[in-house]
Every structure is written in C-alpha cells, then in structure tokens.
Amino acid sequence: MALLRGVWGVLSALGKSGAALCADCGGRLRSPFSFVYVPRWFSSTLSSYPKKPMTSYVRFSKEQLPIFKAQNPDAKNSELIKKIAEIWRELPDAEKKIYEDAYKADWQAYKEEINRIQEQLTPSQLVSLEKEIMQKRLKKKAIIKKRELTMLGKPKRPRSAYNIYISERFQEAKDGSSQLKLKAVNESWKNLSSSQKQVYIQLAEDDKIRYYNEIKSWEEQMVEVGRNDLLRRKMMKPQAKSTEKS
C-alpha cells in the first residue's frame, strides 16, 4: 500500500495517464523484479508524494520542543522529550482533543488526496516505478530514522583502536588528497609496535565503557517515554580484548 501511495503522488504531479506515460518508455520497461528504467524528469517528481499527517502526540512534541530547548539550552534532547512526554500524559482530555481533532482532519484530507490520485493508477505505471519508489522510500526512511535518533540524543557508537588512530593522525598527514592521506595513515598504523598500538586499544576499551553507560541510560529514558521500539534486543557489557586490527 505504501508503494502505491508513492506512485499516486507521482501521477498527481504529472497529470498523465498510464498510456501516455508508457508511450515514451518503449522497450526499456523490464520485469518488475529486475532493474527498471525511470526517466530523470519522472524521478524528480517523486518528492511531490503527499506526506502522512503528524499524530496528535508528534504535533504536540514538535510545538513544545523549541520552547523547552530555549528554556533549557544545555539540556539533552532526550531529557526534553522525557519532560514533554510527561506533560502530554498529564494533559487534560479537553486539550488533547485539540491535537487529536487536528490529526483527524489532516488524515481525512490525506485520504481524500490519495483516493483522488489512485484513480489515475494503472498496472503499467506500477511496473515502471515500483523499484524507483521503493529505493527512495527506503533511503528516506533511513534518513528520518537517523535524524530522529540524533534528536533523541542517542549516544554515538564506540570507535575501534584503528578508527581512533585514523581520526587523530589524519589531520596531521602531509598535504595531498584524502585518499593519499588515508593510505599514508593506514601504513603508519601497520608499522606501529604492539606497545604503541596498546595505547589506542585502551582508548577503544574506555570508549566502549562510555558507550555502554550512555546507551544504558538512554534506553531507560526511551522506555519511560514509551519508545521501546528503539531498544536493542540485547545489551552486552563490554569486555577487555587483547587483540586489535594490525
């Protein structure tokens, strides 16, 4: 169904029938399970696909977050989200209804737009666009998820000893392209003695402990605000390792 909505958004922007669309495709259309050629001018219209309306809670959070951020500039987003969630839970039903009614109105308008676009959909258009739409939707979903996790203050994953060394030495490398610098730093890493590498191995172990403590606290906050979907299945406490990339 999500795929069809994407096609409907494209067709709405183009205002073309299936016959008109495929008239220019010729023999370039293939099986729906193989690569599908999509003209560049056609792909550029995918952004016109109507977005789903925000839920009542998301609308409330989006309004309140800038206010809380201004009042608490040093607070983490995850802490602010927690406060907003608490306020939402205690909000009187009469005030919640304002946001719920707004969501219902937007959802009705969204459905009407989708239904209007659906009337223009043909099987041939679905075949020619499904791969392109799917790729764009997956990419967009990944970007949105990453932005959401950043907004919620999810801790950064721990770095390896090798990555810490690369980050430290890359800027110190001699002038040249990024590729040449990376190659030079990589070679210098290989030439380090075991004792020299141990310094970075210890830094990596410390970073794992930092991450373990921060992600544990963050996941507890996510549980409190009802975002269990963001939790990982299993959390293992970091253990010291004696080996590293060589």
PDB file of all heavy atoms in Angstrom, residues 211-236:
ATOM      1  N   TYR A 211      30.270   4.146  26.036  1.00  0.00           N
ATOM      2  CA  TYR A 211      29.077   3.854  25.248  1.00  0.00           C
ATOM      3  C   TYR A 211      28.101   2.981  26.027  1.00  0.00           C
ATOM      4  O   TYR A 211      26.888   3.228  26.011  1.00  0.00           O
ATOM      5  CB  TYR A 211      29.482   3.160  23.948  1.00  0.00           C
ATOM      6  CG  TYR A 211      28.301   2.725  23.102  1.00  0.00           C
ATOM      7  CD1 TYR A 211      27.537   3.666  22.405  1.00  0.00           C
ATOM      8  CD2 TYR A 211      27.945   1.383  23.001  1.00  0.00           C
ATOM      9  CE1 TYR A 211      26.464   3.285  21.637  1.00  0.00           C
ATOM     10  CE2 TYR A 211      26.868   0.990  22.232  1.00  0.00           C
ATOM     11  CZ  TYR A 211      26.124   1.946  21.555  1.00  0.00           C
ATOM     12  OH  TYR A 211      25.043   1.553  20.801  1.00  0.00           O
ATOM     13  N   TYR A 212      28.611   1.974  26.694  1.00  0.00           N
ATOM     14  CA  TYR A 212      27.750   1.066  27.461  1.00  0.00           C
ATOM     15  C   TYR A 212      26.947   1.839  28.507  1.00  0.00           C
ATOM     16  O   TYR A 212      25.740   1.642  28.653  1.00  0.00           O
ATOM     17  CB  TYR A 212      28.598  -0.013  28.135  1.00  0.00           C
ATOM     18  CG  TYR A 212      27.802  -0.899  29.070  1.00  0.00           C
ATOM     19  CD1 TYR A 212      27.038  -1.959  28.581  1.00  0.00           C
ATOM     20  CD2 TYR A 212      27.814  -0.672  30.447  1.00  0.00           C
ATOM     21  CE1 TYR A 212      26.296  -2.759  29.426  1.00  0.00           C
ATOM     22  CE2 TYR A 212      27.074  -1.475  31.310  1.00  0.00           C
ATOM     23  CZ  TYR A 212      26.319  -2.513  30.792  1.00  0.00           C
ATOM     24  OH  TYR A 212      25.582  -3.298  31.642  1.00  0.00           O
ATOM     25  N   ASN A 213      27.611   2.726  29.237  1.00  0.00           N
ATOM     26  CA  ASN A 213      26.936   3.503  30.277  1.00  0.00           C
ATOM     27  C   ASN A 213      25.923   4.484  29.688  1.00  0.00           C
ATOM     28  O   ASN A 213      24.807   4.635  30.199  1.00  0.00           O
ATOM     29  CB  ASN A 213      27.968   4.257  31.122  1.00  0.00           C
ATOM     30  CG  ASN A 213      28.842   3.330  31.942  1.00  0.00           C
ATOM     31  OD1 ASN A 213      28.402   2.248  32.333  1.00  0.00           O
ATOM     32  ND2 ASN A 213      30.083   3.730  32.202  1.00  0.00           N
ATOM     33  N   GLU A 214      26.318   5.137  28.605  1.00  0.00           N
ATOM     34  CA  GLU A 214      25.428   6.133  27.995  1.00  0.00           C
ATOM     35  C   GLU A 214      24.220   5.487  27.333  1.00  0.00           C
ATOM     36  O   GLU A 214      23.098   5.991  27.458  1.00  0.00           O
ATOM     37  CB  GLU A 214      26.208   6.970  26.976  1.00  0.00           C
ATOM     38  CG  GLU A 214      27.220   7.919  27.601  1.00  0.00           C
ATOM     39  CD  GLU A 214      27.905   8.799  26.568  1.00  0.00           C
ATOM     40  OE1 GLU A 214      27.607   8.644  25.354  1.00  0.00           O
ATOM     41  OE2 GLU A 214      28.745   9.628  26.963  1.00  0.00           O
ATOM     42  N   ILE A 215      24.428   4.368  26.612  1.00  0.00           N
ATOM     43  CA  ILE A 215      23.311   3.734  25.920  1.00  0.00           C
ATOM     44  C   ILE A 215      22.349   3.098  26.919  1.00  0.00           C
ATOM     45  O   ILE A 215      21.138   3.054  26.699  1.00  0.00           O
ATOM     46  CB  ILE A 215      23.818   2.683  24.903  1.00  0.00           C
ATOM     47  CG1 ILE A 215      22.714   2.315  23.899  1.00  0.00           C
ATOM     48  CG2 ILE A 215      24.305   1.435  25.595  1.00  0.00           C
ATOM     49  CD1 ILE A 215      22.319   3.444  22.987  1.00  0.00           C
ATOM     50  N   LYS A 216      22.882   2.610  28.043  1.00  0.00           N
ATOM     51  CA  LYS A 216      22.035   2.028  29.082  1.00  0.00           C
ATOM     52  C   LYS A 216      21.110   3.094  29.665  1.00  0.00           C
ATOM     53  O   LYS A 216      19.906   2.874  29.828  1.00  0.00           O
ATOM     54  CB  LYS A 216      22.909   1.421  30.188  1.00  0.00           C
ATOM     55  CG  LYS A 216      22.129   0.664  31.257  1.00  0.00           C
ATOM     56  CD  LYS A 216      23.105  -0.019  32.203  1.00  0.00           C
ATOM     57  CE  LYS A 216      22.352  -0.822  33.270  1.00  0.00           C
ATOM     58  NZ  LYS A 216      21.624   0.039  34.214  1.00  0.00           N
ATOM     59  N   SER A 217      21.678   4.254  29.956  1.00  0.00           N
ATOM     60  CA  SER A 217      20.880   5.362  30.493  1.00  0.00           C
ATOM     61  C   SER A 217      19.873   5.854  29.458  1.00  0.00           C
ATOM     62  O   SER A 217      18.712   6.136  29.781  1.00  0.00           O
ATOM     63  CB  SER A 217      21.807   6.508  30.910  1.00  0.00           C
ATOM     64  OG  SER A 217      21.065   7.633  31.338  1.00  0.00           O
ATOM     65  N   TRP A 218      20.307   5.931  28.209  1.00  0.00           N
ATOM     66  CA  TRP A 218      19.428   6.421  27.135  1.00  0.00           C
ATOM     67  C   TRP A 218      18.251   5.479  26.917  1.00  0.00           C
ATOM     68  O   TRP A 218      17.115   5.916  26.735  1.00  0.00           O
ATOM     69  CB  TRP A 218      20.240   6.571  25.850  1.00  0.00           C
ATOM     70  CG  TRP A 218      19.466   7.114  24.694  1.00  0.00           C
ATOM     71  CD1 TRP A 218      19.139   8.414  24.454  1.00  0.00           C
ATOM     72  CD2 TRP A 218      18.893   6.361  23.612  1.00  0.00           C
ATOM     73  NE1 TRP A 218      18.418   8.533  23.290  1.00  0.00           N
ATOM     74  CE2 TRP A 218      18.246   7.284  22.751  1.00  0.00           C
ATOM     75  CE3 TRP A 218      18.878   5.009  23.283  1.00  0.00           C
ATOM     76  CZ2 TRP A 218      17.583   6.890  21.598  1.00  0.00           C
ATOM     77  CZ3 TRP A 218      18.224   4.621  22.136  1.00  0.00           C
ATOM     78  CH2 TRP A 218      17.591   5.538  21.301  1.00  0.00           C
ATOM     79  N   GLU A 219      18.512   4.180  26.905  1.00  0.00           N
ATOM     80  CA  GLU A 219      17.442   3.208  26.686  1.00  0.00           C
ATOM     81  C   GLU A 219      16.435   3.224  27.835  1.00  0.00           C
ATOM     82  O   GLU A 219      15.234   3.024  27.625  1.00  0.00           O
ATOM     83  CB  GLU A 219      18.030   1.815  26.492  1.00  0.00           C
ATOM     84  CG  GLU A 219      18.735   1.671  25.148  1.00  0.00           C
ATOM     85  CD  GLU A 219      19.224   0.259  24.888  1.00  0.00           C
ATOM     86  OE1 GLU A 219      19.413  -0.495  25.870  1.00  0.00           O
ATOM     87  OE2 GLU A 219      19.411  -0.107  23.713  1.00  0.00           O
ATOM     88  N   GLU A 220      16.901   3.482  29.030  1.00  0.00           N
ATOM     89  CA  GLU A 220      15.992   3.606  30.171  1.00  0.00           C
ATOM     90  C   GLU A 220      15.062   4.804  29.978  1.00  0.00           C
ATOM     91  O   GLU A 220      13.872   4.738  30.309  1.00  0.00           O
ATOM     92  CB  GLU A 220      16.803   3.755  31.466  1.00  0.00           C
ATOM     93  CG  GLU A 220      17.518   2.479  31.890  1.00  0.00           C
ATOM     94  CD  GLU A 220      18.442   2.689  33.077  1.00  0.00           C
ATOM     95  OE1 GLU A 220      18.619   3.869  33.487  1.00  0.00           O
ATOM     96  OE2 GLU A 220      18.997   1.692  33.587  1.00  0.00           O
ATOM     97  N   GLN A 221      15.606   5.885  29.447  1.00  0.00           N
ATOM     98  CA  GLN A 221      14.788   7.067  29.174  1.00  0.00           C
ATOM     99  C   GLN A 221      13.772   6.779  28.071  1.00  0.00           C
ATOM    100  O   GLN A 221      12.626   7.241  28.140  1.00  0.00           O
ATOM    101  CB  GLN A 221      15.682   8.237  28.770  1.00  0.00           C
ATOM    102  CG  GLN A 221      16.572   8.737  29.888  1.00  0.00           C
ATOM    103  CD  GLN A 221      17.502   9.853  29.441  1.00  0.00           C
ATOM    104  OE1 GLN A 221      17.535  10.217  28.266  1.00  0.00           O
ATOM    105  NE2 GLN A 221      18.273  10.390  30.370  1.00  0.00           N
ATOM    106  N   MET A 222      14.190   6.012  27.056  1.00  0.00           N
ATOM    107  CA  MET A 222      13.277   5.690  25.970  1.00  0.00           C
ATOM    108  C   MET A 222      12.112   4.816  26.466  1.00  0.00           C
ATOM    109  O   MET A 222      10.980   4.950  25.997  1.00  0.00           O
ATOM    110  CB  MET A 222      14.021   4.973  24.837  1.00  0.00           C
ATOM    111  CG  MET A 222      15.037   5.845  24.106  1.00  0.00           C
ATOM    112  SD  MET A 222      14.308   7.342  23.357  1.00  0.00           S
ATOM    113  CE  MET A 222      14.803   8.598  24.564  1.00  0.00           C
ATOM    114  N   VAL A 223      12.396   3.935  27.410  1.00  0.00           N
ATOM    115  CA  VAL A 223      11.331   3.105  27.992  1.00  0.00           C
ATOM    116  C   VAL A 223      10.324   3.989  28.712  1.00  0.00           C
ATOM    117  O   VAL A 223       9.108   3.788  28.611  1.00  0.00           O
ATOM    118  CB  VAL A 223      11.926   2.061  28.964  1.00  0.00           C
ATOM    119  CG1 VAL A 223      10.815   1.360  29.742  1.00  0.00           C
ATOM    120  CG2 VAL A 223      12.744   1.034  28.197  1.00  0.00           C
ATOM    121  N   GLU A 224      10.830   4.991  29.419  1.00  0.00           N
ATOM    122  CA  GLU A 224       9.962   5.880  30.181  1.00  0.00           C
ATOM    123  C   GLU A 224       9.032   6.691  29.286  1.00  0.00           C
ATOM    124  O   GLU A 224       7.914   7.028  29.680  1.00  0.00           O
ATOM    125  CB  GLU A 224      10.807   6.818  31.046  1.00  0.00           C
ATOM    126  CG  GLU A 224      11.537   6.104  32.183  1.00  0.00           C
ATOM    127  CD  GLU A 224      12.365   7.065  33.017  1.00  0.00           C
ATOM    128  OE1 GLU A 224      12.258   8.295  32.775  1.00  0.00           O
ATOM    129  OE2 GLU A 224      13.101   6.605  33.907  1.00  0.00           O
ATOM    130  N   VAL A 225       9.489   7.016  28.075  1.00  0.00           N
ATOM    131  CA  VAL A 225       8.654   7.812  27.162  1.00  0.00           C
ATOM    132  C   VAL A 225       7.896   6.928  26.168  1.00  0.00           C
ATOM    133  O   VAL A 225       7.295   7.423  25.219  1.00  0.00           O
ATOM    134  CB  VAL A 225       9.498   8.863  26.402  1.00  0.00           C
ATOM    135  CG1 VAL A 225      10.135   9.824  27.367  1.00  0.00           C
ATOM    136  CG2 VAL A 225      10.542   8.191  25.520  1.00  0.00           C
ATOM    137  N   GLY A 226       7.951   5.614  26.372  1.00  0.00           N
ATOM    138  CA  GLY A 226       7.175   4.713  25.522  1.00  0.00           C
ATOM    139  C   GLY A 226       7.780   4.416  24.176  1.00  0.00           C
ATOM    140  O   GLY A 226       7.068   4.028  23.247  1.00  0.00           O
ATOM    141  N   ARG A 227       9.104   4.561  24.029  1.00  0.00           N
ATOM    142  CA  ARG A 227       9.762   4.276  22.747  1.00  0.00           C
ATOM    143  C   ARG A 227      10.559   2.970  22.831  1.00  0.00           C
ATOM    144  O   ARG A 227      11.736   2.930  22.524  1.00  0.00           O
ATOM    145  CB  ARG A 227      10.667   5.439  22.347  1.00  0.00           C
ATOM    146  CG  ARG A 227       9.943   6.717  22.005  1.00  0.00           C
ATOM    147  CD  ARG A 227       8.889   6.500  20.913  1.00  0.00           C
ATOM    148  NE  ARG A 227       9.435   5.897  19.718  1.00  0.00           N
ATOM    149  CZ  ARG A 227       9.980   6.594  18.725  1.00  0.00           C
ATOM    150  NH1 ARG A 227      10.039   7.901  18.799  1.00  0.00           N
ATOM    151  NH2 ARG A 227      10.432   5.979  17.651  1.00  0.00           N
ATOM    152  N   ASN A 228       9.874   1.900  23.212  1.00  0.00           N
ATOM    153  CA  ASN A 228      10.524   0.587  23.289  1.00  0.00           C
ATOM    154  C   ASN A 228      10.994   0.094  21.929  1.00  0.00           C
ATOM    155  O   ASN A 228      11.844  -0.794  21.845  1.00  0.00           O
ATOM    156  CB  ASN A 228       9.562  -0.442  23.899  1.00  0.00           C
ATOM    157  CG  ASN A 228       9.247  -0.144  25.353  1.00  0.00           C
ATOM    158  OD1 ASN A 228       8.851   0.969  25.689  1.00  0.00           O
ATOM    159  ND2 ASN A 228       9.411  -1.107  26.222  1.00  0.00           N
ATOM    160  N   ASP A 229      10.435   0.663  20.859  1.00  0.00           N
ATOM    161  CA  ASP A 229      10.829   0.248  19.515  1.00  0.00           C
ATOM    162  C   ASP A 229      12.271   0.641  19.190  1.00  0.00           C
ATOM    163  O   ASP A 229      12.860   0.129  18.237  1.00  0.00           O
ATOM    164  CB  ASP A 229       9.887   0.873  18.481  1.00  0.00           C
ATOM    165  CG  ASP A 229       9.892   2.398  18.551  1.00  0.00           C
ATOM    166  OD1 ASP A 229       9.568   2.940  19.632  1.00  0.00           O
ATOM    167  OD2 ASP A 229      10.193   3.045  17.538  1.00  0.00           O
ATOM    168  N   LEU A 230      12.848   1.537  19.980  1.00  0.00           N
ATOM    169  CA  LEU A 230      14.210   1.993  19.735  1.00  0.00           C
ATOM    170  C   LEU A 230      15.236   1.195  20.528  1.00  0.00           C
ATOM    171  O   LEU A 230      16.445   1.419  20.369  1.00  0.00           O
ATOM    172  CB  LEU A 230      14.343   3.477  20.093  1.00  0.00           C
ATOM    173  CG  LEU A 230      13.471   4.446  19.289  1.00  0.00           C
ATOM    174  CD1 LEU A 230      13.683   5.867  19.769  1.00  0.00           C
ATOM    175  CD2 LEU A 230      13.762   4.334  17.799  1.00  0.00           C
ATOM    176  N   LEU A 231      14.771   0.271  21.358  1.00  0.00           N
ATOM    177  CA  LEU A 231      15.688  -0.513  22.163  1.00  0.00           C
ATOM    178  C   LEU A 231      16.293  -1.643  21.359  1.00  0.00           C
ATOM    179  O   LEU A 231      15.660  -2.207  20.473  1.00  0.00           O
ATOM    180  CB  LEU A 231      14.966  -1.096  23.384  1.00  0.00           C
ATOM    181  CG  LEU A 231      14.211  -0.118  24.279  1.00  0.00           C
ATOM    182  CD1 LEU A 231      13.650  -0.856  25.478  1.00  0.00           C
ATOM    183  CD2 LEU A 231      15.107   1.021  24.724  1.00  0.00           C
ATOM    184  N   ARG A 232      17.532  -1.974  21.677  1.00  0.00           N
ATOM    185  CA  ARG A 232      18.160  -3.119  21.052  1.00  0.00           C
ATOM    186  C   ARG A 232      17.727  -4.392  21.765  1.00  0.00           C
ATOM    187  O   ARG A 232      17.290  -4.351  22.915  1.00  0.00           O
ATOM    188  CB  ARG A 232      19.687  -2.974  21.104  1.00  0.00           C
ATOM    189  CG  ARG A 232      20.183  -1.812  20.236  1.00  0.00           C
ATOM    190  CD  ARG A 232      21.618  -1.503  20.537  1.00  0.00           C
ATOM    191  NE  ARG A 232      21.761  -1.220  21.971  1.00  0.00           N
ATOM    192  CZ  ARG A 232      22.912  -1.374  22.625  1.00  0.00           C
ATOM    193  NH1 ARG A 232      23.973  -1.821  21.994  1.00  0.00           N
ATOM    194  NH2 ARG A 232      22.995  -1.097  23.901  1.00  0.00           N
ATOM    195  N   ARG A 233      17.833  -5.504  21.090  1.00  0.00           N
ATOM    196  CA  ARG A 233      17.353  -6.763  21.646  1.00  0.00           C
ATOM    197  C   ARG A 233      18.168  -7.215  22.842  1.00  0.00           C
ATOM    198  O   ARG A 233      17.648  -7.765  23.796  1.00  0.00           O
ATOM    199  CB  ARG A 233      17.390  -7.863  20.571  1.00  0.00           C
ATOM    200  CG  ARG A 233      16.404  -7.616  19.443  1.00  0.00           C
ATOM    201  CD  ARG A 233      16.449  -8.750  18.443  1.00  0.00           C
ATOM    202  NE  ARG A 233      15.499  -8.545  17.356  1.00  0.00           N
ATOM    203  CZ  ARG A 233      15.343  -9.387  16.349  1.00  0.00           C
ATOM    204  NH1 ARG A 233      16.094 -10.479  16.283  1.00  0.00           N
ATOM    205  NH2 ARG A 233      14.470  -9.137  15.401  1.00  0.00           N
ATOM    206  N   LYS A 234      19.474  -6.986  22.791  1.00  0.00           N
ATOM    207  CA  LYS A 234      20.330  -7.455  23.871  1.00  0.00           C
ATOM    208  C   LYS A 234      21.477  -6.491  24.073  1.00  0.00           C
ATOM    209  O   LYS A 234      22.047  -5.989  23.121  1.00  0.00           O
ATOM    210  CB  LYS A 234      20.867  -8.853  23.552  1.00  0.00           C
ATOM    211  CG  LYS A 234      21.544  -9.536  24.734  1.00  0.00           C
ATOM    212  CD  LYS A 234      21.914 -10.965  24.358  1.00  0.00           C
ATOM    213  CE  LYS A 234      22.519 -11.718  25.545  1.00  0.00           C
ATOM    214  NZ  LYS A 234      22.892 -13.103  25.190  1.00  0.00           N
ATOM    215  N   MET A 235      21.785  -6.225  25.322  1.00  0.00           N
ATOM    216  CA  MET A 235      22.871  -5.306  25.643  1.00  0.00           C
ATOM    217  C   MET A 235      23.960  -6.064  26.383  1.00  0.00           C
ATOM    218  O   MET A 235      23.740  -6.587  27.467  1.00  0.00           O
ATOM    219  CB  MET A 235      22.344  -4.160  26.525  1.00  0.00           C
ATOM    220  CG  MET A 235      23.393  -3.132  26.866  1.00  0.00           C
ATOM    221  SD  MET A 235      23.930  -2.237  25.396  1.00  0.00           S
ATOM    222  CE  MET A 235      25.398  -1.442  26.029  1.00  0.00           C
ATOM    223  N   MET A 236      25.135  -6.183  25.780  1.00  0.00           N
ATOM    224  CA  MET A 236      26.238  -6.914  26.396  1.00  0.00           C
ATOM    225  C   MET A 236      27.232  -5.931  26.991  1.00  0.00           C
ATOM    226  O   MET A 236      27.625  -4.951  26.359  1.00  0.00           O
ATOM    227  CB  MET A 236      26.946  -7.779  25.350  1.00  0.00           C
ATOM    228  CG  MET A 236      26.056  -8.839  24.738  1.00  0.00           C
ATOM    229  SD  MET A 236      25.508 -10.062  25.929  1.00  0.00           S
ATOM    230  CE  MET A 236      27.063 -10.866  26.270  1.00  0.00           C
TER     231      MET A 236
END
